[in-house]
């Protein structure tokens, strides 16, 4: 019976916590949000709920629930608990620590359920040849290429810097390549979102979309979007199944309560009949009033238990109705969010197509296309990325590419260099 109660509580707890963010995201190194390690300046949202055996419901501990910023020394200052170490823990590990600390402090049999999510991550910094260098909000799974996009892309000067038409041709060609790369990404993203909106099981690469780096790069791009597609579908199904499991559990509880209520109804009917008979005997002088009083008290107790059973059945039915509403809201919310994403992506696609057409016209008007085609020794530049990251208390410089995952407080440096300089830098790094 004790194990069944723990399973019941655990399942209802999962139901109580449904509705949080679908997490979404990736960690610093593994690509999973569950592996994200907290640190100073992260702001976390804490929610604590505990089982109330009197009302048979979960009650939120409002005094503890809220948003808190991790201090410079890696700790959280929480009401009731005081200082809690958070540095280096995942959100799930911090939630467990809070639950067990509360259990020990309050002295309850079962630890309360705690959820911890990151409300605001530590920043990253983007410097160098980007349009808008500066500080930007980090998010799990942020890669170098995405950080550059957030910083409005590579820096492009409108003035001739002395290198002549060759440099203009390179810039124009680089701009077109970046725009076409962004367009390919957005087109594949649109295909994935449309598949989600139509509840399809899979999607294919959109027709007529060409990746600037070739078919292999296009296949890799589609594969990544398919992984995201599968992950989002799995998360939705898990959330839906959790709600269904809660409903099944409540229906089982109602069945047991209905049986209990039926037995009480029979007992109440029999006791009422007995009280009536006793009252008749008392009127005839064949019974004593103390016996009648005892039977009336027993009847009142049975009626109270009958009312309590009816109340519990009513409450369980209300919870089933609320769960059904949550299931409908889950689907509606997902459909609305996907529709919003589709509209945003399609607007971005339209913007990119206009920019591509405009850039192509500029190339033709400035003669840069001729330089690109006829120059015997065209000037070429390639982007070089490096990350400055604190490792074991020391600042370390790490070479990177567009797919390198960033971590909070990373400083990303972007520079345009000649291929020879990039190769030399790579050789020097390998030697070190």
């Amino acid at each position: 019976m004790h194990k069944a109660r723990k399973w019941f509580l655990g399942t209802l707890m999962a139901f109580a916590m449904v509705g949080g963010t679908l997490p979404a995201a990736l960690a610093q190194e593994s690509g999973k949000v569950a592996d994200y390690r907290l640190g100073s300046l992260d702001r976390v949202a804490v929610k604590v709920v505990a089982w109330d055996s009197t009302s048979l419901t979960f009650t939120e501990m409002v005094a503890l629930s809220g948003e808190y910023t991790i201090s410079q020394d890696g700790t959280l200052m929480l009401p009731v608990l005081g200082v809690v170490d958070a540095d280096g823990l995942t959100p799930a590990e911090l939630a467990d620590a809070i639950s067990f600390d509360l259990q020990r402090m309050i002295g309850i049999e079962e630890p309360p359920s705690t959820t911890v999510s990151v409300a605001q991550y530590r920043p990253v910094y983007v410097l160098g040849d980007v349009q808008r260098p500066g500080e930007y909000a980090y998010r799990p799974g942020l890669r170098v290429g995405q950080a550059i996009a957030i910083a409005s892309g590579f820096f492009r000067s409108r003035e001739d810097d002395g290198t002549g038409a060759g440099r203009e041709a390179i810039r124009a060609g680089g701009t077109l390549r970046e725009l076409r790369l962004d367009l390919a990404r957005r087109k594949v993203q649109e295909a994935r979102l449309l598949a989600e909106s139509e509840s399809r099981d899979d999607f294919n690469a959109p027709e007529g979309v060409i990746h600037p780096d070739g078919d292999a790069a296009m296949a890799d791009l589609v594969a990544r979007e398919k992984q995201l597609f599968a992950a989002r579908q799995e998360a939705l199904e898990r959330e839906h199944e959790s709600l269904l499991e809660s409903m099944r559990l409540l229906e089982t509880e109602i069945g047991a309560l209905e049986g209990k209520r039926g037995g009480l109804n029979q007992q109440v009917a029999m006791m009422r009949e007995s009280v009536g008979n006793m009252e008749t005997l008392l009127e005839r002088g064949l019974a004593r009033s103390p016996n009648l009083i005892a039977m009336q008290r027993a009847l009142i107790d049975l009626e109270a238990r009958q009312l309590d059973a009816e109340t519990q059945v009513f409450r369980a039915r209300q919870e089933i109705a609320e769960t059904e509403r949550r299931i409908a809201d889950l689907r509606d919310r997902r459909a609305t969010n996907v529709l919003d994403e589709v509209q945003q992506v399609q607007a971005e696609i339209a913007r990119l197509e206009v920019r591509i057409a405009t850039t192509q016209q500029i190339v033709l008007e400035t003669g840069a296309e001729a330089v690109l085609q006829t120059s015997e020794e065209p000037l070429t530049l390639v982007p070089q990325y490096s990350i400055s990251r604190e490792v074991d208390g020391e600042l370390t410089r790490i070479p990177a590419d567009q797919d390198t995952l960033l971590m909070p407080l990373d400083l990303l440096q972007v520079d345009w260099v000649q291929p020879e300089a990039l190769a030399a830098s790579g050789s020097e790094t390998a030697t070190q």
Side-chain angles (χ1 to χ4, degrees):
M1 182 66 181
H2 180 65
K3 291 183 178 179
R5 179 176 176 270
K6 289 182 69 177
W7 175 80
F8 168 71
L9 293 179
T11 305
L12 276 185
M13 186 66 73
F15 161 62
M17 293 185 294
V18 166
T21 54
L22 198 249
L26 307 167
Q28 298 104 302
E29 297 178 0
S30 67
K32 297 180 180 178
V33 70
D35 297 330
Y36 179 79
R37 299 288 170 178
L38 299 168
S40 60
L41 303 183
D42 276 333
R43 186 167 181 81
V44 296
V46 178
K47 182 177 182 180
V48 183
V49 293
W51 175 254
D52 188 338
S53 58
T54 303
S55 62
L56 299 180
T57 58
F58 287 98
T59 303
E60 181 177 355
M61 302 178 70
V62 180
L64 272 169
S65 299
E67 292 190 4
Y68 306 91
T69 300
I70 300 176
S71 63
Q72 290 289 346
D73 62 359
T75 61
L76 282 179
M77 178 62 73
L78 298 179
V80 181
L81 282 180
V83 177
V84 178
D85 290 329
D87 189 47
L89 299 181
T90 64
E93 290 170 348
L94 177 58
D96 290 340
I98 293 173
S99 292
F100 288 117
D101 285 351
L102 279 172
Q103 182 186 20
R104 288 194 298 269
M105 177 174 289
I106 301 175
I108 54 179
E109 179 182 355
E110 298 287 344
S113 178
T114 304
T115 57
V116 175
S117 59
V118 182
Q120 181 177 333
Y121 294 93
R122 292 163 282 171
V124 294
Y125 305 91
V126 184
L127 300 178
D129 291 334
V130 293
Q131 288 286 82
R132 295 183 179 179
E135 175 184 310
Y136 293 94
Y138 173 81
R139 66 173 183 270
L142 182 66
R143 299 179 184 272
V144 167
Q146 294 169 325
I148 294 172
I150 292 172
S152 299
F154 295 114
F155 175 75
R156 302 180 186 93
S157 174
R158 295 186 178 182
E159 298 179 358
D160 188 1
D161 59 1
T163 58
R167 173 62 64 88
E168 291 299 328
I170 293 166
R171 286 177 176 168
T175 300
L176 279 175
R177 182 186 178 282
E178 291 298 326
L179 290 173
R180 287 166 178 163
L181 179 60
D182 287 345
L183 182 62
R185 289 172 178 166
R186 294 295 185 179
K187 284 285 190 180
V188 176
Q189 187 179 2
E190 179 190 32
R192 187 253 302 168
L193 290 170
L194 289 175
E196 290 183 6
S197 67
E198 297 169 4
S199 300
R200 285 188 267 138
D201 295 330
D202 198 3
F203 70 95
N204 297 317
E207 296 182 0
V209 179
I210 301 175
H211 196 288
D213 295 334
D215 293 341
M218 186 66 180
D220 182 63
L221 182 59
V222 172
R224 290 185 185 180
E225 287 294 327
K226 286 193 174 187
Q227 289 177 352
L228 179 59
F229 177 82
R232 285 164 62 107
Q233 289 293 100
E234 183 180 351
L236 179 66
E237 290 170 4
R238 282 200 306 268
E239 194 171 355
H240 183 256
E241 181 58 32
S242 176
L243 290 170
L244 289 178
E245 185 64 28
S246 298
M247 285 185 59
R248 288 192 287 267
L249 189 60
L250 288 168
E251 288 169 353
T252 301
E253 181 183 1
I254 287 176
L257 290 171
E258 290 283 7
K260 177 181 177 181
R261 186 173 65 174
L264 287 171
N265 290 341
Q266 293 180 358
Q267 293 181 50
V268 168
M270 294 172 60
M271 184 57 69
R272 285 174 178 167
E273 183 179 356
S274 298
V275 168
N277 293 336
M278 182 63 69
E279 289 174 344
T280 301
L281 292 175
L282 185 63
E283 291 174 356
R284 296 178 180 177
L286 300 177
R288 296 185 304 171
S289 60
N291 293 337
L292 175 61
I293 293 173
M295 294 181 68
Q296 287 174 333
R297 287 176 178 173
L299 176 60
I300 293 172
D301 180 64
L302 284 172
E303 289 175 338
R305 291 168 58 191
Q306 181 188 41
L307 179 60
D308 182 60
E310 291 175 351
T311 301
Q312 292 181 31
V313 170
F314 176 73
R315 182 179 298 156
R317 293 194 185 281
Q318 279 187 318
E319 291 182 5
I320 287 180
E322 176 64 17
T323 305
E324 291 174 341
R325 185 191 65 77
R326 285 175 177 262
I327 291 176
D329 287 348
L330 175 65
R331 296 292 182 183
D332 292 343
R333 186 173 66 251
R334 175 63 181 276
T336 301
N337 291 342
V338 170
L339 180 60
D340 289 343
E341 291 183 62
V342 168
Q343 293 175 342
Q344 292 174 10
V345 168
Q346 289 177 341
E348 180 65 16
I349 288 173
R351 186 184 69 83
L352 287 170
E353 289 174 341
V354 170
R355 289 189 62 192
I356 287 173
T358 303
T359 305
Q360 287 175 333
Q361 185 63 30
I362 292 174
V363 168
L364 292 174
E365 291 177 356
T366 59
E369 183 179 33
V371 174
L372 287 172
Q373 293 176 350
T374 61
S375 177
E376 295 180 359
E377 296 183 0
L379 178 63
T380 58
L381 294 176
V382 292
Q384 174 180 268
Y385 314 108
S386 64
I387 297 171
S388 295
R389 177 181 300 166
E390 185 174 338
V391 180
D392 297 330
E394 295 185 2
L395 194 62
T396 304
R397 187 172 181 272
I398 305 169
D401 57 33
Q402 284 206 354
D403 292 328
T404 301
L405 283 166
L406 293 172
M407 295 176 63
L409 303 182
D410 275 354
L411 189 152
L412 171 62
Q413 179 71 34
V414 182
D415 297 297
W416 282 92
V417 300
Q418 294 185 10
E420 295 81 3
L422 183 62
S425 174
S427 300
E428 181 180 350
T429 302
T431 302
Q432 293 175 350

